[in-house]
Amino acid sequence: MSSLKAWRAAIVHCIADPKEVGIENAYEYFADGLLVTENDKVHAIGHTDELLPNLPKDIEIEHHPDGIITPGFIDTHIHYPQTDMIGSYGEQLLTWLNTYTFPEESKFSDKQHARDVADRFLAELLRNGTTTALVFGTVHKVSVEAFFEACEVQNLRMICGKVMMDRNAPGYLTDTPESSYEDSKALIDTWHNKGRLHYAITPRFAPTSSDEQLQLAGKLLEEYEDVYLHTHLSENKDECAWVQELFPNSQNYLDVYDQHQLLSERSVFAHGIHLCDHEYHRLHETGSAIAFCPTSNLFIGSGLFKLSAAEQHQVNVGLGTDVGGGTSFSMLQTMNEAYKVIQLQNENLNPIKSLYLATLGGAKALRLEDKIGNLAVGTEADFIILDKKATPLLTSRLALSKNIEETLFVFMTIGDDRAIKATYSAGQCVHQR
């Protein structure tokens, strides 16, 4: 038997940023397409009538006449320990952290609890078609061990890190500069680049780390050339004012991280709503990326992300759900809210651009575009099958769709986890509806 497998359906994936090459050159679409995998990689992609004659006679072909295959979604900012506190009422960022987040995260000193949540969190991601995420753990080393152990079971490409937090948080949830450095180092040595896993150095945000701790985070980034840096930036106006108070010698919020050598090609900053031109410029100059988290920004009342400003400064941007400040694990729903955030600024977000942000754009933000983010030959076979008949409303609305852009837009507007028929990671089915 051949190790080749094939899926027949409509296929759409992005091959470039629409901002750089125009919408029509940014994607490939095969109305009757064939995706062929060999083991864990994409072997071929194209029109069925062109590929079929050259395939072995005994190849197994799964046919999905009402399906659309896209790359797996990439979530560039999410907190797995906040899974059970999604939908917490009534607060803005700083009160929300103290009222809901910190008490919830204290439970993750128990590895069994952490593993239970990690398993449910991953099941939720896969049910929603997300195959890669950049994930916050808690301050506890075991929270990250439990998460990575859960990821290994399904061979997922995931990135996670232990929170570094040595001040301005409850005593039961703080570490020290030294312990955070040692714990992070031990986790990097054990888990970074093990299979498909990566490590992210994770200071929660500037206010909860001392200068000493941020300095040691920078030291780790220097010591390991391909680890990530993952933190928050300019989410809320009160937070920005607090940062200025705590770090009077910084020019702006980003400068706090910059002074501690935390900007790099593998640095991802969540939110970045209230930025000045100089901050955008430094993000571009250092190759750092922003995770745009619309559901969270609206839910916690933080503000509207300026995608056009980030694009103007050529800053890499990915989409993030930011659960539990974000209100949905679904990247389709996240694209829905992203569209509205842009609408409120009198601009439009094209569905191809939305797909780009949720797939190839996220991969570029994570410097993984050679591995994931589209279905180019040789990439890892992380993909999903969308179902055009998932709900009665999708069925009737999509029957009227004139082209693939409209179809994608409908999925992004009224689709949710039910629209994901199946999710594949490295060629293996990891979720089936």
Side-chain angles (χ1 to χ4, degrees):
M1 271 290 280
S2 160
S3 61
L4 297 177
K5 276 190 202 163
W7 288 262
R8 182 177 179 178
I11 302 174
V12 61
H13 71 143
C14 290
I15 51 175
D17 185 346
K19 177 76 181 158
E20 290 167 13
V21 299
I23 295 295
E24 58 290 342
N25 299 316
Y27 70 100
E28 283 184 330
Y29 173 58
F30 307 99
D32 179 11
L34 209 57
L35 177 69
V36 185
T37 65
E38 184 166 23
N39 304 320
D40 58 347
K41 301 275 199 302
V42 174
H43 174 77
I45 179 176
H47 298 286
T48 297
D49 55 3
E50 287 172 17
L51 291 182
L52 207 51
N54 304 315
L55 291 173
K57 293 284 172 273
D58 63 351
I59 188 168
E60 185 189 320
I61 299 178
E62 253 188 52
H63 191 198
H64 297 272
D66 296 312
I68 298 177
I69 293 173
T70 75
F73 296 136
I74 297 171
D75 188 337
T76 56
H77 178 66
I78 187 168
H79 298 251
Y80 102 81
Q82 294 179 20
T83 301
D84 291 342
M85 52 163 284
I86 192 169
S88 293
Y89 174 74
E91 303 295 353
Q92 290 219 336
L93 178 67
L94 301 177
T95 331
W96 181 85
L97 282 172
N98 289 310
T99 313
Y100 299 118
T101 309
F102 292 153
E104 183 62 31
E105 290 192 1
S106 69
K107 301 172 188 172
F108 285 76
S109 59
D110 173 359
K111 190 170 180 183
Q112 194 44 58
H113 175 78
R115 179 58 192 265
D116 169 55
V117 177
D119 285 334
R120 288 187 285 115
F121 168 86
L122 291 172
E124 204 57 46
L125 283 185
L126 297 172
R127 232 161 54 73
N128 283 283
T130 298
T131 48
T132 291
L134 177 57
V135 181
F136 256 67
T138 65
V139 77
H140 315 99
K141 186 172 173 233
V142 291
S143 71
V144 179
E145 291 167 345
F147 179 75
F148 280 144
E149 284 165 15
C151 293
E152 273 194 312
V153 177
Q154 288 166 308
N155 190 23
L156 305 174
R157 188 165 284 289
M158 289 281 167
I159 310 165
C160 185
K162 181 204 105 68
V163 168
M164 302 171 81
M165 179 159 68
D166 68 342
R167 64 170 183 169
N168 294 326
Y172 61 77
L173 217 55
T174 53
D175 54 15
T176 68
E178 295 70 29
S179 74
S180 68
Y181 172 80
E182 293 303 337
D183 283 351
S184 300
K185 211 172 166 56
L187 287 164
I188 294 168
D189 289 339
T190 308
W191 292 103
H192 184 56
N193 290 333
K194 184 179 182 196
R196 302 177 80 209
L197 303 173
H198 308 275
Y199 192 82
I201 299 153
T202 310
R204 177 171 228 112
F205 66 151
T208 50
S209 285
S210 61
D211 275 303
E212 294 75 20
Q213 188 167 60
L214 292 173
Q215 205 172 339
L216 286 173
K219 185 171 185 246
L220 284 167
L221 199 58
E222 194 184 2
E223 286 171 348
Y224 296 92
E225 61 174 352
D226 63 345
V227 296
Y228 290 88
L229 183 284
H230 183 201
T231 190
H232 297 89
L233 171 71
S234 298
E235 179 175 359
N236 164 290
K237 286 187 172 166
D238 291 344
E239 167 210 15
C240 295
W242 190 25
V243 169
Q244 213 52 64
E245 257 170 61
L246 292 168
F247 298 92
N249 297 327
S250 64
Q251 286 181 30
N252 48 52
Y253 194 155
L254 185 72
D255 191 42
V256 175
Y257 297 129
D258 208 353
Q259 286 179 15
H260 295 92
Q261 276 73 54
L262 295 175
L263 276 63
S264 78
E265 289 204 338
R266 288 175 180 271
S267 298
V268 179
F269 296 94
H271 310 300
I273 299 174
H274 311 286
L275 300 177
C276 64
D277 281 353
H278 178 258
E279 288 171 295
Y280 286 119
H281 177 67
R282 279 299 289 151
L283 288 165
H284 164 68
E285 213 168 38
T286 55
S288 303
I290 299 176
F292 169 22
C293 306
T295 75
S296 157
N297 298 158
L298 295 171
F299 183 70
I300 305 181
S302 304
L304 306 176
F305 177 68
K306 299 162 194 70
L307 180 61
S308 56
E311 287 189 331
Q312 206 180 323
H313 290 86
Q314 297 174 298
V315 177
N316 278 339
V317 176
L319 270 187
T321 61
D322 192 25
V323 164
T327 50
S328 176
F329 278 84
S330 169
M331 287 296 269
L332 293 172
Q333 280 307 299
T334 303
M335 291 183 249
N336 177 10
E337 299 297 297
Y339 176 81
K340 295 169 191 171
V341 163
I342 305 305
Q343 275 283 75
L344 283 167
Q345 299 171 75
N346 295 315
E347 294 167 23
N348 288 125
L349 184 55
N350 183 284
I352 297 297
K353 180 69 180 194
S354 295
L355 180 68
Y356 172 80
L357 290 171
T359 55
L360 187 58
K364 284 187 175 173
L366 300 174
R367 305 288 169 179
L368 289 170
E369 69 272 24
D370 58 328
K371 294 181 171 66
I372 55 172
N374 68 11
L375 301 170
V377 171
T379 58
E380 295 170 355
D382 287 2
F383 63 96
I384 60 176
I385 302 171
L386 296 168
D387 180 5
K388 292 202 277 192
K389 297 198 166 163
T391 66
L393 188 59
L394 273 172
T395 307
S396 57
R397 177 62 185 87
L398 288 173
L400 304 173
S401 174
K402 295 174 197 67
N403 53 44
I404 187 60
E405 288 184 35
E406 185 179 351
T407 297
L408 283 173
F409 188 64
V410 171
F411 269 114
M412 291 165 193
T413 312
I414 60 172
D416 52 32
D417 57 300
R418 293 168 296 177
I420 311 297
K421 189 173 185 181
T423 304
Y424 288 80
S425 173
Q428 297 301 311
C429 185
V430 286
H431 163 72
Q432 203 151 14
R433 198 191 60 218

